[in-house]
Amino acid sequence: MIEIHNIHKSFNGVKVLDGISGVFETGKTNLLLGASGTGKSVLLKCIVGLVKPDIGSVTFDGTYFTNNKLGIKQEIRRKIGMLFQSSALFDSMTVEKNIEFPLKMLGDMEKDERIDRVNTVLKRVGLEGANKKMPSELSGGMKKRVGIARAIAPHCTYLFCDEPNSGLDPLTALKIDELIKEITEEYGITTIIVTHDMNSVIEIGDKIFFLYKGKKLWEGTRDAILDTDVKELNEFIFSNRLMRDAKKIEDEEEETESNR
Amino acid sequence: MLQHFGKYLLFMSSLLFRGESPRILFNRTMDEAILIGINSIFIVAIVSTFIGAVTSVQISYNLDNAFIPRSTIGFMVREMTLLELAPTITSIVLAGKVGSSIAGGLGTMQITEQVDALEVMGINSTSYLVLPKVIAAILVFPMLVILAMFLSIGGGFIAGVLSGEITQQEYISGIRSDFIPYNILFALIKSVVFAFLVSSISSFKGYYTSGGALEVGKASTGAVTNSVIAILIADFVLANLLL
Ligand SMILES: Nc1ncnc2c1ncn2[C@@H]1O[C@H](COP(=O)(O)OP(=O)(O)OP(=O)(O)O)[C@@H](O)[C@H]1O
Ligand SMILES: [Mg+2]
């Protein structure tokens, strides 16, 4: 369980995060939803400590993180798997070396065990055989998937994904979403996913936090999200025609049911 | 300026805490050393050979007094090479070659979030990325300087003999006269200090890059300029302290 409390962050006097609190539960896929530029990535970086919040605190399973000693922070970080929005693959290493890297640095696996693990996760993201490619030879979507593979290769306790399926075709996006949900439930991971994809919300959103201009306007489950009366969230969701149609059908069903 | 220096000192002290295991440090250092060596051996060889050659030609041009033995050419090429040309010029060349590549590499890693990725894994990015570079430079610079010494004196020999200004025997007796072994030690001390300055200043510049490709370019140029200035100041200080 990750708890954040009253996180504020400004860059050069411009407020990006304005007092965000929340609880991200273990074994659940928690979604940070919001329009481009609302501070989702910054919030994620505040949680893992890459950006220092101006005010506010983060605790990982009861252990205070923000401003704690570097040693304690590093201990917690060794349990974190993270996918960056830009993938952040090490461009001097092959795909295989990239994924093997956290296993080599943090674990005590033997070489062939590590390569086995690399091949397993590569298969799960649909990139088997790409071991010897360099990051510069990959497409954007492939980089993303290698980034996910690297994040999940060590069995992490906390998983953070910044837009795991942006730049992927709908089918691959769905597969990646399902993969993240699967391992979250299988290993009891606390997962936070940044997204603006409504498909992900419907497919895997156990808990959704809607950010708007640096504030959390709404939180709830995917079942509740279609019935919200928060104006900004409604605009966000129903900018999509399919979502409007879905809502219409749902409302009609409700009507016929109450008429009966 | 003072603020930058303070930040630089903090940066250097962060290299020493919470590093990785000695085995990883060793492997990383070897990788970096090979990179530095291979990337710069060619330019160092060219520059030092020509500088030796030019020095020998110019000395012989200025040395038209019949009372001064021709072997003085060899002697002077050796002295200038050991004391100044090999350690300082080589390090300035390396500041351009190694410094810009260190700063460019680290800057790129910073702006593409690769440094963040290391940090999130719980790895101390400075000790993992920077410390091996500094140690590698300290190991490799002196080797390149020794190479430069041989090539520069050799270059002087070839130029002097080919141009007919001096015979082989005269040159060799020149480079063997009044030899002070301490000068070699002095040159090596200088090269170690320069290695530290170039690698640490360039790493500092690269590591604190933020923004985009434009800033990476600026970091590279800044690394070279600052390294060269630091080398020249250190050269002056060391000459006063150690000679
Ligand atoms: N290092 C920084 N320095 C200055 N401003 C920053 C920095 N990082 C982020 N910002 C600003 O913070 C705001 C939020 O950025 P953030 O990357 O969190 O958006 P986001 O919600 O992730 O958007 P997207 O969906 O497009 O990724 C932006 O206006 C951005 O300009
Ligand atoms: Mg973002």
Side-chain angles (χ1 to χ4, degrees):
Chain A
M1 186 169 72
I2 301 170
E3 290 164 88
I4 60 175
H5 181 66
N6 196 27
I7 303 247
H8 288 259
K9 180 70 196 177
S10 304
F11 288 108
N12 312 319
V14 181
K15 197 123 211 168
V16 175
L17 299 177
D18 194 3
I20 296 186
S21 303
V23 176
F24 305 98
E25 282 171 47
T26 303
K28 296 252 166 79
T29 43
N30 300 281
L31 264 48
L32 294 176
L33 187 68
S36 179
T38 45
K40 304 180 298 292
S41 297
V42 173
L43 179 59
L44 207 58
K45 287 184 182 174
C46 281
I47 295 174
V48 298
L50 290 173
V51 170
K52 197 173 176 313
D54 301 332
I55 318 176
S57 65
V58 179
T59 52
F60 285 80
D61 288 316
T63 311
Y64 175 67
F65 181 77
T66 332
N67 299 330
N68 209 329
K69 281 197 280 279
L70 185 64
I72 293 174
K73 276 179 149 174
Q74 282 190 341
E75 207 134 291
I76 292 176
R77 279 179 173 171
R78 285 175 186 241
K79 298 188 219 159
I80 291 178
M82 180 154 176
L83 166 73
F84 286 81
Q85 189 165 0
S86 64
S87 303
L89 302 181
F90 302 123
D91 46 28
S92 58
M93 300 180 192
T94 60
V95 165
E96 180 175 287
K97 289 263 184 300
N98 259 284
I99 303 174
E100 191 195 355
F101 185 81
L103 301 172
K104 203 164 150 183
M105 296 297 289
L106 312 177
D108 43 11
M109 281 188 189
E110 293 299 318
K111 177 83 184 167
D112 18 328
E113 271 180 280
R114 293 201 298 261
I115 299 303
D116 268 359
R117 180 74 190 145
V118 170
N119 288 329
T120 312
V121 287
L122 267 181
K123 194 156 179 215
R124 289 194 84 162
V125 297
L127 282 175
E128 56 266 71
N131 300 46
K132 298 297 175 212
K133 286 211 159 69
M134 294 304 282
S136 56
E137 300 170 310
L138 302 177
S139 74
M142 288 162 91
K143 280 186 194 157
K144 226 105 263 156
R145 285 184 280 160
V146 175
I148 293 169
R150 185 176 69 183
I152 63 174
H155 293 289
C156 52
T157 315
Y158 312 103
L159 180 63
F160 302 98
C161 296
D162 199 340
E163 304 197 3
N165 52 20
S166 69
L168 299 182
D169 62 277
L171 192 61
T172 315
L174 183 66
K175 274 199 199 139
I176 293 295
D177 277 349
E178 280 170 350
L179 167 65
I180 293 174
K181 187 160 177 64
E182 232 172 78
I183 62 169
T184 300
E185 285 168 0
E186 196 176 325
Y187 298 107
I189 300 172
T190 311
T191 301
I192 304 181
I193 302 170
V194 169
T195 185
H196 27 59
D197 182 12
M198 280 314 292
N199 285 328
S200 304
V201 171
I202 301 301
E203 291 293 338
I204 58 165
D206 290 336
K207 186 79 172 280
I208 297 132
F209 298 79
F210 178 67
L211 301 190
Y212 184 80
K213 294 194 174 157
K215 285 195 160 69
K216 183 182 80 184
L217 286 192
W218 184 85
E219 73 170 87
T221 63
R222 62 187 141 168
D223 300 323
I225 200 167
L226 293 184
D227 302 320
T228 159
D229 44 16
V230 176
K231 184 170 139 281
E232 289 83 359
L233 180 54
N234 269 319
E235 274 172 9
F236 185 91
I237 302 171
F238 299 113
S239 59
N240 182 327
R241 185 161 148 228
L242 283 176
M243 296 306 297
R244 284 198 296 274
D245 291 349
K247 172 85 173 159
K248 216 189 291 166
I249 293 169
E250 199 184 75
D251 289 348
E252 280 166 10
E253 275 173 3
E254 265 171 34
E255 225 166 90
T256 41
E257 224 151 85
S258 55
N259 286 351
R260 230 184 266 151
Chain B
M1 178 70 200
L2 215 57
Q3 202 183 354
H4 276 286
F5 190 65
K7 202 170 157 196
Y8 169 77
L9 289 184
L10 278 179
F11 175 70
M12 293 319 292
S13 66
S14 78
L15 297 187
L16 303 175
F17 295 107
R18 305 216 146 261
E20 303 308 318
S21 69
R23 193 177 53 85
I24 290 174
L25 180 64
F26 178 80
N27 290 340
R28 287 269 306 119
T29 305
M30 285 304 123
D31 288 349
E32 295 287 350
I34 291 167
L35 219 63
I36 294 178
I38 288 179
N39 281 341
S40 40
I41 197 161
F42 181 66
I43 182 82
V44 167
I46 299 259
V47 168
S48 53
T49 310
F50 272 87
I51 289 217
V54 170
T55 311
S56 140
V57 169
Q58 292 195 347
I59 291 172
S60 70
Y61 169 73
N62 282 300
L63 210 74
D64 51 3
N65 188 329
F67 292 106
I68 302 176
R70 299 305 284 169
S71 64
T72 310
I73 300 173
F75 171 76
M76 285 179 73
V77 169
R78 186 201 74 205
E79 283 302 285
M80 289 173 71
T81 295
L82 295 192
L83 280 177
E84 192 62 19
L85 297 179
T88 310
I89 301 288
T90 303
S91 297
I92 287 178
V93 168
L94 290 173
K97 187 82 190 171
V98 178
S100 63
S101 107
I102 288 181
L106 283 176
T108 306
M109 288 191 77
Q110 187 65 265
I111 62 161
T112 54
E113 299 181 311
Q114 294 175 49
V115 174
D116 285 349
L118 282 175
E119 286 288 330
V120 162
M121 289 174 193
I123 293 165
N124 178 350
S125 60
T126 53
S127 70
Y128 180 79
L129 291 174
V130 178
L131 189 59
K133 291 187 200 296
V134 175
I135 300 176
I138 288 177
L139 292 176
V140 175
F141 273 39
M143 294 187 206
L144 290 169
V145 165
I146 291 173
L147 176 78
M149 288 172 177
F150 279 108
L151 290 177
S152 170
I153 292 174
F157 176 80
I158 293 170
V161 172
L162 282 187
S163 64
E165 290 291 339
I166 184 170
T167 64
Q168 295 185 14
Q169 289 75 12
E170 281 172 331
Y171 192 87
I172 289 170
S173 85
I175 58 176
R176 291 178 65 176
S177 64
D178 297 321
F179 176 61
I180 310 169
Y182 176 74
N183 286 353
I184 302 245
L185 180 66
F186 176 63
L188 293 181
I189 293 174
K190 285 207 321 190
S191 67
V192 166
V193 172
F194 297 162
F196 176 79
L197 290 172
V198 169
S199 56
S200 64
I201 291 173
S202 306
S203 300
F204 176 69
K205 278 278 169 191
Y207 191 84
Y208 287 106
T209 306
S210 61
L214 196 63
E215 281 76 11
V216 175
K218 279 187 196 154
S220 274
T221 347
V224 177
T225 332
N226 287 299
S227 300
V228 170
I229 294 172
I231 287 176
L232 295 175
I233 295 175
D235 193 23
F236 180 73
V237 172
L238 288 174
N240 278 303
L241 284 181
L242 299 177
L243 281 187

mmCIF file of all heavy atoms in Angstrom, chain B residues 160-181:
data_model
loop_
_atom_site.group_PDB
_atom_site.id
_atom_site.type_symbol
_atom_site.label_atom_id
_atom_site.label_comp_id
_atom_site.label_asym_id
_atom_site.label_seq_id
_atom_site.Cartn_x
_atom_site.Cartn_y
_atom_site.Cartn_z
ATOM 1 N N GLY B 160 64.322 15.922 -37.399
ATOM 2 C CA GLY B 160 65.681 16.457 -37.365
ATOM 3 C C GLY B 160 66.604 15.734 -38.329
ATOM 4 O O GLY B 160 67.350 16.352 -39.099
ATOM 5 N N VAL B 161 66.526 14.417 -38.317
ATOM 6 C CA VAL B 161 67.420 13.633 -39.156
ATOM 7 C C VAL B 161 67.038 13.756 -40.621
ATOM 8 O O VAL B 161 67.893 13.949 -41.494
ATOM 9 C CB VAL B 161 67.430 12.154 -38.699
ATOM 10 C CG1 VAL B 161 68.206 11.293 -39.689
ATOM 11 C CG2 VAL B 161 68.026 12.052 -37.304
ATOM 12 N N LEU B 162 65.750 13.677 -40.920
ATOM 13 C CA LEU B 162 65.313 13.755 -42.317
ATOM 14 C C LEU B 162 65.661 15.102 -42.934
ATOM 15 O O LEU B 162 66.027 15.191 -44.107
ATOM 16 C CB LEU B 162 63.800 13.527 -42.424
ATOM 17 C CG LEU B 162 63.323 12.081 -42.338
ATOM 18 C CD1 LEU B 162 61.835 11.992 -42.641
ATOM 19 C CD2 LEU B 162 64.116 11.187 -43.297
ATOM 20 N N SER B 163 65.566 16.162 -42.131
ATOM 21 C CA SER B 163 65.861 17.473 -42.693
ATOM 22 C C SER B 163 67.362 17.734 -42.717
ATOM 23 O O SER B 163 67.808 18.792 -43.159
ATOM 24 C CB SER B 163 65.160 18.569 -41.882
ATOM 25 O OG SER B 163 65.686 18.586 -40.574
ATOM 26 N N GLY B 164 68.134 16.791 -42.225
ATOM 27 C CA GLY B 164 69.590 16.913 -42.273
ATOM 28 C C GLY B 164 70.170 17.909 -41.291
ATOM 29 O O GLY B 164 71.344 18.249 -41.342
ATOM 30 N N GLU B 165 69.345 18.360 -40.328
ATOM 31 C CA GLU B 165 69.818 19.345 -39.364
ATOM 32 C C GLU B 165 70.722 18.708 -38.312
ATOM 33 O O GLU B 165 71.519 19.384 -37.676
ATOM 34 C CB GLU B 165 68.624 20.001 -38.661
ATOM 35 C CG GLU B 165 67.804 20.923 -39.540
ATOM 36 C CD GLU B 165 68.549 22.183 -39.926
ATOM 37 O OE1 GLU B 165 69.517 22.544 -39.222
ATOM 38 O OE2 GLU B 165 68.190 22.799 -40.952
ATOM 39 N N ILE B 166 70.525 17.439 -38.074
ATOM 40 C CA ILE B 166 71.234 16.788 -36.985
ATOM 41 C C ILE B 166 71.438 15.320 -37.370
ATOM 42 O O ILE B 166 70.616 14.735 -38.077
ATOM 43 C CB ILE B 166 70.412 16.912 -35.675
ATOM 44 C CG1 ILE B 166 71.157 16.334 -34.474
ATOM 45 C CG2 ILE B 166 69.043 16.282 -35.800
ATOM 46 C CD1 ILE B 166 70.469 16.658 -33.153
ATOM 47 N N THR B 167 72.559 14.747 -36.925
ATOM 48 C CA THR B 167 72.771 13.332 -37.240
ATOM 49 C C THR B 167 72.109 12.484 -36.162
ATOM 50 O O THR B 167 71.801 12.960 -35.066
ATOM 51 C CB THR B 167 74.269 12.987 -37.273
ATOM 52 O OG1 THR B 167 74.791 13.174 -35.950
ATOM 53 C CG2 THR B 167 75.021 13.871 -38.254
ATOM 54 N N GLN B 168 71.932 11.213 -36.483
ATOM 55 C CA GLN B 168 71.319 10.293 -35.511
ATOM 56 C C GLN B 168 72.090 10.293 -34.199
ATOM 57 O O GLN B 168 71.510 10.339 -33.119
ATOM 58 C CB GLN B 168 71.312 8.871 -36.084
ATOM 59 C CG GLN B 168 70.426 8.738 -37.302
ATOM 60 C CD GLN B 168 70.348 7.284 -37.765
ATOM 61 O OE1 GLN B 168 70.728 6.364 -37.041
ATOM 62 N NE2 GLN B 168 69.870 7.090 -38.980
ATOM 63 N N GLN B 169 73.432 10.220 -34.313
ATOM 64 C CA GLN B 169 74.241 10.127 -33.102
ATOM 65 C C GLN B 169 74.094 11.379 -32.247
ATOM 66 O O GLN B 169 73.995 11.301 -31.025
ATOM 67 C CB GLN B 169 75.738 9.928 -33.456
ATOM 68 C CG GLN B 169 76.081 8.569 -34.023
ATOM 69 C CD GLN B 169 75.629 8.431 -35.482
ATOM 70 O OE1 GLN B 169 75.258 9.419 -36.135
ATOM 71 N NE2 GLN B 169 75.656 7.209 -36.013
ATOM 72 N N GLU B 170 74.118 12.535 -32.910
ATOM 73 C CA GLU B 170 73.994 13.792 -32.163
ATOM 74 C C GLU B 170 72.669 13.852 -31.406
ATOM 75 O O GLU B 170 72.621 14.204 -30.231
ATOM 76 C CB GLU B 170 74.079 14.984 -33.134
ATOM 77 C CG GLU B 170 75.476 15.335 -33.559
ATOM 78 C CD GLU B 170 75.489 16.385 -34.679
ATOM 79 O OE1 GLU B 170 74.533 16.440 -35.467
ATOM 80 O OE2 GLU B 170 76.467 17.137 -34.737
ATOM 81 N N TYR B 171 71.578 13.495 -32.104
ATOM 82 C CA TYR B 171 70.264 13.550 -31.470
ATOM 83 C C TYR B 171 70.213 12.631 -30.261
ATOM 84 O O TYR B 171 69.769 13.011 -29.173
ATOM 85 C CB TYR B 171 69.176 13.162 -32.480
ATOM 86 C CG TYR B 171 67.753 13.458 -31.995
ATOM 87 C CD1 TYR B 171 67.178 14.704 -32.195
ATOM 88 C CD2 TYR B 171 67.010 12.484 -31.340
ATOM 89 C CE1 TYR B 171 65.899 14.974 -31.758
ATOM 90 C CE2 TYR B 171 65.715 12.744 -30.894
ATOM 91 C CZ TYR B 171 65.167 14.001 -31.115
ATOM 92 O OH TYR B 171 63.889 14.264 -30.677
ATOM 93 N N ILE B 172 70.733 11.409 -30.465
ATOM 94 C CA ILE B 172 70.658 10.438 -29.367
ATOM 95 C C ILE B 172 71.522 10.876 -28.190
ATOM 96 O O ILE B 172 71.107 10.779 -27.023
ATOM 97 C CB ILE B 172 71.035 9.034 -29.880
ATOM 98 C CG1 ILE B 172 69.884 8.543 -30.772
ATOM 99 C CG2 ILE B 172 71.258 8.063 -28.726
ATOM 100 C CD1 ILE B 172 70.180 7.298 -31.541
ATOM 101 N N SER B 173 72.685 11.396 -28.482
ATOM 102 C CA SER B 173 73.512 11.858 -27.349
ATOM 103 C C SER B 173 72.837 13.051 -26.680
ATOM 104 O O SER B 173 72.928 13.237 -25.472
ATOM 105 C CB SER B 173 74.941 12.191 -27.806
ATOM 106 O OG SER B 173 74.983 13.518 -28.302
ATOM 107 N N GLY B 174 72.095 13.859 -27.471
ATOM 108 C CA GLY B 174 71.357 14.989 -26.904
ATOM 109 C C GLY B 174 70.281 14.539 -25.939
ATOM 110 O O GLY B 174 70.176 15.042 -24.818
ATOM 111 N N ILE B 175 69.489 13.550 -26.367
ATOM 112 C CA ILE B 175 68.392 13.159 -25.482
ATOM 113 C C ILE B 175 68.897 12.370 -24.280
ATOM 114 O O ILE B 175 68.161 12.148 -23.319
ATOM 115 C CB ILE B 175 67.277 12.354 -26.214
ATOM 116 C CG1 ILE B 175 67.837 11.105 -26.863
ATOM 117 C CG2 ILE B 175 66.559 13.203 -27.223
ATOM 118 C CD1 ILE B 175 66.767 10.246 -27.511
ATOM 119 N N ARG B 176 70.176 11.965 -24.313
ATOM 120 C CA ARG B 176 70.686 11.209 -23.159
ATOM 121 C C ARG B 176 71.456 12.084 -22.188
ATOM 122 O O ARG B 176 71.830 11.629 -21.107
ATOM 123 C CB ARG B 176 71.591 10.066 -23.647
ATOM 124 C CG ARG B 176 70.788 8.996 -24.358
ATOM 125 C CD ARG B 176 71.648 7.904 -24.889
ATOM 126 N NE ARG B 176 72.298 7.153 -23.810
ATOM 127 C CZ ARG B 176 73.059 6.091 -24.021
ATOM 128 N NH1 ARG B 176 73.280 5.675 -25.260
ATOM 129 N NH2 ARG B 176 73.612 5.469 -23.005
ATOM 130 N N SER B 177 71.693 13.344 -22.537
ATOM 131 C CA SER B 177 72.539 14.154 -21.658
ATOM 132 C C SER B 177 71.729 14.801 -20.540
ATOM 133 O O SER B 177 70.584 15.215 -20.744
ATOM 134 C CB SER B 177 73.249 15.233 -22.480
ATOM 135 O OG SER B 177 72.306 16.115 -23.016
ATOM 136 N N ASP B 178 72.322 14.882 -19.361
ATOM 137 C CA ASP B 178 71.742 15.541 -18.184
ATOM 138 C C ASP B 178 70.300 15.121 -17.914
ATOM 139 O O ASP B 178 69.435 15.953 -17.648
ATOM 140 C CB ASP B 178 71.753 17.076 -18.354
ATOM 141 C CG ASP B 178 73.173 17.575 -18.460
ATOM 142 O OD1 ASP B 178 74.039 17.040 -17.735
ATOM 143 O OD2 ASP B 178 73.410 18.479 -19.288
ATOM 144 N N PHE B 179 70.052 13.836 -17.963
ATOM 145 C CA PHE B 179 68.674 13.373 -17.772
ATOM 146 C C PHE B 179 68.280 13.417 -16.301
ATOM 147 O O PHE B 179 69.002 12.930 -15.435
ATOM 148 C CB PHE B 179 68.541 11.950 -18.323
ATOM 149 C CG PHE B 179 67.185 11.356 -18.082
ATOM 150 C CD1 PHE B 179 66.048 11.954 -18.609
ATOM 151 C CD2 PHE B 179 67.050 10.210 -17.314
ATOM 152 C CE1 PHE B 179 64.809 11.415 -18.381
ATOM 153 C CE2 PHE B 179 65.794 9.661 -17.079
ATOM 154 C CZ PHE B 179 64.671 10.263 -17.622
ATOM 155 N N ILE B 180 67.135 14.044 -15.998
ATOM 156 C CA ILE B 180 66.650 14.095 -14.610
ATOM 157 C C ILE B 180 65.409 13.213 -14.503
ATOM 158 O O ILE B 180 64.328 13.582 -14.997
ATOM 159 C CB ILE B 180 66.278 15.530 -14.201
ATOM 160 C CG1 ILE B 180 67.417 16.483 -14.543
ATOM 161 C CG2 ILE B 180 65.924 15.589 -12.716
ATOM 162 C CD1 ILE B 180 67.029 17.943 -14.405
ATOM 163 N N PRO B 181 65.507 12.042 -13.877
ATOM 164 C CA PRO B 181 64.353 11.125 -13.805
ATOM 165 C C PRO B 181 63.127 11.773 -13.151
ATOM 166 O O PRO B 181 61.987 11.443 -13.491
ATOM 167 C CB PRO B 181 64.865 9.959 -12.958
ATOM 168 C CG PRO B 181 66.342 10.028 -13.071
ATOM 169 C CD PRO B 181 66.693 11.481 -13.249
#
